[in-house]
Amino acid sequence: MSRIDGRTAEELRPVSIERGWSKHAEGSVLVSFGDTRVLCTASLTEGVPRWRKGSGEGWVTAEYAMLPRSTNTRGDRESVRGKIGGRTHEISRLIGRSLRAVVDFKALGENTIVLDCDVLQADGGTRTAAISGAYVALADAVSWAQEKKLIKARAQPLTGTVAAVSVGIVGGVPLLDLRYEEDVQAETDMNVVCTGDGRFVEVQGTAEGEPFSRDELNGLLDLAAKGCAQLDGVQRSALGR
Amino acid sequence: MSRIDGRTAEELRPVSIERGWSKHAEGSVLVSFGDTRVLCTASLTEGVPRWRKGSGEGWVTAEYAMLPRSTNTRGDRESVRGKIGGRTHEISRLIGRSLRAVVDFKALGENTIVLDCDVLQADGGTRTAAISGAYVALADAVSWAQEKKLIKARAQPLTGTVAAVSVGIVGGVPLLDLRYEEDVQAETDMNVVCTGDGRFVEVQGTAEGEPFSRDELNGLLDLAAKGCAQLDGVQRSALGR
Amino acid sequence: MSRIDGRTAEELRPVSIERGWSKHAEGSVLVSFGDTRVLCTASLTEGVPRWRKGSGEGWVTAEYAMLPRSTNTRGDRESVRGKIGGRTHEISRLIGRSLRAVVDFKALGENTIVLDCDVLQADGGTRTAAISGAYVALADAVSWAQEKKLIKARAQPLTGTVAAVSVGIVGGVPLLDLRYEEDVQAETDMNVVCTGDGRFVEVQGTAEGEPFSRDELNGLLDLAAKGCAQLDGVQRSALGR
Amino acid sequence: MSRIDGRTAEELRPVSIERGWSKHAEGSVLVSFGDTRVLCTASLTEGVPRWRKGSGEGWVTAEYAMLPRSTNTRGDRESVRGKIGGRTHEISRLIGRSLRAVVDFKALGENTIVLDCDVLQADGGTRTAAISGAYVALADAVSWAQEKKLIKARAQPLTGTVAAVSVGIVGGVPLLDLRYEEDVQAETDMNVVCTGDGRFVEVQGTAEGEPFSRDELNGLLDLAAKGCAQLDGVQRSALGR
Amino acid sequence: MSRIDGRTAEELRPVSIERGWSKHAEGSVLVSFGDTRVLCTASLTEGVPRWRKGSGEGWVTAEYAMLPRSTNTRGDRESVRGKIGGRTHEISRLIGRSLRAVVDFKALGENTIVLDCDVLQADGGTRTAAISGAYVALADAVSWAQEKKLIKARAQPLTGTVAAVSVGIVGGVPLLDLRYEEDVQAETDMNVVCTGDGRFVEVQGTAEGEPFSRDELNGLLDLAAKGCAQLDGVQRSALGR
Amino acid sequence: MSRIDGRTAEELRPVSIERGWSKHAEGSVLVSFGDTRVLCTASLTEGVPRWRKGSGEGWVTAEYAMLPRSTNTRGDRESVRGKIGGRTHEISRLIGRSLRAVVDFKALGENTIVLDCDVLQADGGTRTAAISGAYVALADAVSWAQEKKLIKARAQPLTGTVAAVSVGIVGGVPLLDLRYEEDVQAETDMNVVCTGDGRFVEVQGTAEGEPFSRDELNGLLDLAAKGCAQLDGVQRSALGR
C-alpha cells in the first residue's frame, strides 16, 4: 500500500534545514518536513531569569506559534484573542523540555537562550519539525557565544543532539512522519523525541480512536527510532559535521 | 530498597474512591491516591456545543485545577492571574482525551458531560488520580441519565473503563505511583492511561534527567500496566460491579 | 410556621468545623453550615507585600472561590473566563476585612497570612461559613507560627474572635442562617459579622424586593447577634477552648 | 466640635444636581456633594439582555468608574490594567441594586437603561453621590421614553425615589456625609441607601478600626435617615416636583 | 454653501479653555471645541520610568479615553471589555508624541508628567481638542513644578506651544474643524498638529472615500495651518500671556 | 553624500515580490524591501461580519504582527503578554484602510478577505512593505475567487492599485525608503500610501525631533510619490501585467 505522496510506510518526507535564515538571531533555521515549514530562531542573551540568578547555570526555553494562515483554514491570532491556547502551551513546553535534555547548564553559564518556532506552513508534524530545527538553531547560537567568548573556552554546553518525529497507525499500518491528511485519519498518533545516540527524551502516544496494544506501541517505537536516526544524519550534515 | 512510605517498588498507595460526594452533581467522587485527594464532579446537561449540533452525538470534556494551598507552598490562583497556565491546560486536555476514549458519542446522544477535577490536596499523581476518579463520576452521571431517560434505553455510552497511573525511574529503579518526593527525584517520569482490557489510551514519558533507553521504557510500561489493572479493580469495586 | 428542613426561625443549621484538614497548610478547616461546605486554608509566609515592608506590621488577606459544580447548575470557571466576577471580588474583600478586624498587625510582625476559602458545596451562606471557618484556620496558623517562633513570645496577634451569619426576611418572617431555597425567596437579605464580645464588624443588608423598615432591620440584627454568639461557641469548642 | 469645613456633625455638604449635562444621553446629571463630582448618564435602549427576552420586563444596570486623576494621586486606568478592581465591581453592583429597588420592570417594558457614573473629582462619598445623581438621570430617561412612546401610556416604571449618604464615626462622634479626610480617619464607615418614604434599600456598615456596638449602629442609622430625607428634597427640587 | 452650524468653511467652532478645573491635578483644563468637551489633567510625579532612570531626563506621556455615553450611542467600557481598542491606542500615542515635541527633557529633569484626556462629550475633533487642551494643562503642571522647585530655576522645559485641528473635504469643499456629522461625510479627513511658530509636528491624512490629489492635500494643509494659528491665540489668552 | 548601503537619496532598496508562497492561502506573497521581509497572506471566506450581513457588500481587513526575533533584540510575543500593543494596532488599521481604498465592496459581494502581514525580518519600512505586498496577495485572492465563481462574472472588485513607501529627513536630507539605522536617526519620518494613478490614500508624517516646515513636507511628498510610482511598477510586473 502506497501513501498519498508515494512514500513507503517507513520513509520520511524530504527534510531540509536551511541555516542562517535571519540576519538578527544568534541562530536561525528554516526547517522543512515536506510542506511543513517552521522558522526557528535562537536568541541568546546574557543573564538568566530571577529564580536562577547566582546559580552559575543558564536557561533554555521555547515558544511555538502558528501563523494564522499556515493552515488550510485561517485560525484566529492568539494575540488578538488575548490568550494562548492549550495546544500552543503544550507544544512550547515540549520543545523546551526536549532541548533542555541535551544542555549542560553549568557549561552554558548564566546565559539564556530562547527558541522561537513559528510555523509558516503546516502539513502535519509541526512540533517534530520544530524540535529538529530548533536543535540546529540552538547549536548555532552556542557556537556564536563561544566565538564571542560569552561561554568559557572548552565548555561544551551541548551534551548531545536531539531530533523528533511523528508516527501513527493509519488503516492498521504504522507510518512514519505523518502528513496532515494521514494525521487526521490516524487511529493512534505518537510523537517521539530521541537523542542522537538512540535514547528517548520524550514519548507521547495517544489513541485517537481505538486504544492501542503493547505490540502496536512497540511497532511505533521501532519506526520512530529509525526516523530519528535519519533526522540526526540530516542535522549533522546541515551543521557540516 | 524500601520507599519513603515503606511500599515496594511495584505497590500502589492506598486508593479510595468515595462516590456521591456532592449533592448537586450528576456524578461525584472524592478520589485518594495516598495523600493526593481530588474532587471529581460530572455535570451532565442536555445539548452539545454549537459545532456538534444536529450530529446526534454527545460530548465529554474536562477541566483540572489545583486549589491554591493544595501544595506545599501556596500557588497563585489562575483566576486572579487572569490566565490558565500551560500545565493546567495540558492536564485538562489529557483527562478529556482519556475519558473520551471509552465513550460512544452516538449512544450518549446530544448530551454534554463536563468533568471537573479539583485537587484538594496534592502529593504526586494528581492527574492520574483525576482520570481514575473522573471515570467513576462519569459512570455515575451516565447511570443518572439512563434513569432520567435522557439516554435511550439499551444505549451503552461507555464502551469500557479507563484508569491511569504514574511510573518513574528513581535512583535507577522503576517505581509505581510516585509520591511528590519521589517525583521530584525521578530521572524519568511517565503517565500511562489504560483501558480495563489492558490496552493503552495515552503514554507520556519524559526524561527529566538522562534520556532513557528502550529497555527502561519497557520496564516502566510493564509496571504501569500492572498498576492500571489494580486500579481497574478498585473502580469496579467502588461501582459495585 | 416551620422551615423546609424543620428548623425554627431562630435556629442555625448543624455547624461543624473540622480542623487539620490539609497536611500542607499552616491552618486548615473544613467548615459546614448544613450542606454548605467550605475548605478554608491559612497560608503563612514570612515577609509582607512591598507597600508594608519595614513597617514591622503583618498582613492578612483572603480569597474566595466556588468550585464550578458546588452549585446546582455548573458555573464557568473564573480562571477559564480570564477574570474574576464582581461577586467573588466582593466576598473575598469582605472575608479579608472581617478577619483583619481581630488582628493586631504589630503583634503579628512582618508575616503574611492568606486565607483561601473554596466552596466545595453551596447551599446558601457560603460567605458567612467562610468567615466563621477562616477564623479557626487563622487561629491555627497563628499558633503554628508561635510554636515555630516566627512570632514573638507573648505576642497576641488575635485580639478577639470573629464569626458571621446570614439573616433574611422570608414571607414576612425574619429567619436565621438561610439555605439557598430560602435565600432566593428572601425579600431582605443580610450578612452580619460579629466579634465574640457581641460587637459588629460588618453589617450588609440588601432589599431584594420591597425596601425594609427600621423595625425589620432591628429584628434582623437581633437574630444575627444571637446566631453569631452561637457560632462563637462552636468555634471555641473546635479550638478546644 | 466643628468639622474641617465648618459643618456640624449632622450637616450635608452643599449638594447640587445639574440636569441635562450631556446632549447625547437620554438622561444626564452632574451631581456634586461638596468637591465630589460625578457625571451620571442614563442610556436607554430598546430590548433587553438575552436572559430576559420575551419576559415583557425591562432591565436597569450601572457602571461606576473613577477618572485616573479624580483623586489626590493618579490611579492606573482599569482599561490599561486590563481588569476591573474589586472596589469598582462592588460599587457598580451597589448602584445597580439601589436603582432597581425603585423600578417596576413590567411597567418599563422590554427596555434597558444603563447608568454610567463617572467620578470626575473625588472627595469622599463618590458612591452615595453616584446613586443620588443616577436616580435623577434615570427619572429623566424614563420621562424621555414616555414622550417617545417607548413606554406604555400611564405606565409608572418608577415606584419611588432613592438616595444615598455616607455616615461614619470619627473620633467617637457620628458624622454625616464624610469628606475624604474624615473618611480615612473613621473608625466605622457606613453607606445607607433609602427610598423617599424613609425605608432602607441597602445598609453597609464596616468597622475600619474597633468593632462597633449596637448603640453606635443605631446612632449612625438615625443620622443616615435624616441625610437621605434631605437628599430626597434636593432631588425633588431638581426634578421640579 | 453654509455649514450645519452656520460657520464658514474656514471657521473654527467656539473654543474655550477652562483652567484649574480639578482641585487635585497639577494642571487641569476643560477644553471645548463646540460641543466636544474633553477634561485634560496633568499629573506630575517625581521620578521616571525604569528605562530612563539616571538619564537626568524627564518623561511625558498621555492617555485618551471616551466616557461610554460621550457619543450618540453608548459604547462599551474598555475596562469592562478588558482591553483597549486600536483607536484609543492610536490617539493616546498621538497626544503623547505631539506634546513631547515641545518638551526639553533635560530641562524637565527626572520628573514624569501624565496627561489624561477624557472625553466627556464628543462631537468630532476629540483628539485635536485633547491635544490643544492638554498643552495648557501641561504648561500649568510645569509652572506648578517650578514654584515647588522640582525643576531647576531658569529651566525652560517647554520649548514652544502646540495645538491641533482637524480638516477635511466634504462635498468637494475643504472645511476646518469638522463636527461629527461633517466628519462621517468627509471624503478626506486630516488631523494636523502644529507648533505656535507654524511648523508641523504631525500630519495624518486619510482618504475615507476617493484618494486625494496633491492639490487637495495642499488646500487642507493651508486651512489647518490657519486653524492652528488661531488655536495658538486661544491658548495664549487662556494662559494669560 | 552616500547612504549606508550606497544608495542615492532617491533610490529604493531592491524590492522583490514572490507570489504563491503558501500552499493554503487564496493569495500569498513574500515581499522584501532590502532586508525587510514580510509574509502576506490573503484569506478569502464566503460571508461577512454580522454588522454587514444582507448588505450585498464584502469586507477587507488586515492584521500585522512581528515575529519575536524579526528585530535586532527579541521582543515579547503579544500572545504571551495577552494583549496587542499600540503600534501593532495602529499598523493593522493602516494596512486595512489602505487596501479598502481600492476595493469596490459591491463588486466583491458578501465575501471577506483577511490580509495577514507577518514580519519575518525587520529592517525599517515593515508597514510600507506590508501594504505593498498585501495588495498583490489581495489581487491573487480576488482572481482565485473569480475562477471559483464566488464573484460575479465581470465584477471588478479592485478599483486600482495601492503601494506605500517611507520617507524621512536624515541629517537635513530627505531620503526615500529608510532602513532601520536611518529611521532611528530621522528628524522627520513619513509613511505615504498612494494609488497607482498617483493620488494619496494616506499621509502620516511625524516630527521625531524638530518640527518640520511646509517646504520640508513638500520635499518628502515629492520623494514619496516617486517611490510609490516605482513600487507600482514592481507590483504590475509581479502580477504579470
Side-chain angles (χ1 to χ4, degrees), chain F residues 80-130:
Chain F
V80 171
R81 289 177 44 220
K83 53 183 172 183
I84 282 186
R87 179 181 174 279
T88 298
H89 251 147
E90 230 174 274
I91 299 178
S92 294
R93 287 158 55 92
L94 171 64
I95 300 171
R97 279 199 312 272
S98 298
L99 295 175
R100 285 192 292 272
V102 294
V103 175
D104 174 342
F105 291 114
K106 277 282 175 212
L108 181 55
E110 289 205 7
N111 295 295
T112 296
I113 303 177
V114 181
L115 279 306
D116 285 291
C117 300
D118 287 89
V119 179
L120 304 187
Q121 189 170 273
D123 188 25
T126 61
R127 79 189 72 185
T128 53

Side-chain angles (χ1 to χ4, degrees), chain D residues 26 69 74 116 121, chain E residues 23 26 69 74 116 121:
Chain D
E26 285 72 40
R69 194 55 197 280
R74 185 178 183 274
D116 285 292
Q121 189 169 274
Chain E
K23 74 171 198 177
E26 285 72 40
R69 194 55 199 279
R74 184 177 183 273
D116 285 292
Q121 189 169 275

Side-chain angles (χ1 to χ4, degrees), chain B residues 21-24 26 35 37 41 43 63 65 68-71 74 77 80 82 84 114 116 118 121-123, chain C residues 21-24 26 35 37 41 43 63 65 68-71 74 77 80 82 84 114 116 118 121-123:
Chain B
W21 206 84
S22 150
K23 75 171 199 175
H24 296 303
E26 285 72 41
D35 283 337
R37 271 187 268 178
T41 58
S43 299
E63 291 185 5
R69 194 57 198 280
S70 57
T71 45
R74 184 177 183 273
R77 262 174 215 276
V80 171
I84 283 186
V114 181
D116 285 291
D118 287 89
Q121 190 170 274
D123 187 25
Chain C
W21 206 84
S22 150
K23 75 171 199 177
H24 297 302
E26 285 72 41
D35 283 338
R37 273 188 266 178
T41 59
S43 298
E63 291 185 5
R69 195 53 199 280
S70 57
T71 45
R74 185 178 183 274
R77 266 174 211 275
V80 171
I84 282 186
V114 180
D116 284 292
D118 287 90
Q121 189 169 275
D123 187 25

Side-chain angles (χ1 to χ4, degrees), chain E residues 27 35 38 44 55 58 65 70-71 82-83 89-90 96 134 139 141 158 191 194 198 200 210 215 221 232 235:
Chain E
D35 283 337
V38 185
L44 187 147
S55 66
S70 57
T71 45
K83 54 183 172 184
H89 251 148
E90 231 175 271
L158 296 182
N191 292 291
C194 289
F200 297 93
E210 278 295 288
D215 280 352
L221 288 167
D232 184 62
Q235 288 175 327

Side-chain angles (χ1 to χ4, degrees), chain E residues 102-151:
Chain E
V102 294
V103 175
D104 175 344
F105 291 115
K106 276 282 175 213
L108 181 56
E110 289 205 7
N111 295 294
T112 297
I113 302 178
V114 181
L115 279 307
D116 285 292
C117 300
D118 287 89
V119 178
L120 305 187
Q121 189 169 275
D123 188 26
T126 61
R127 78 189 73 186
T128 53
I131 292 168
S132 303
Y135 171 74
V136 176
L138 172 65
D140 277 341
V142 165
S143 300
W144 177 90
Q146 283 168 326
E147 265 175 48
K148 295 279 174 191
K149 315 282 188 207
L150 293 173
I151 294 178

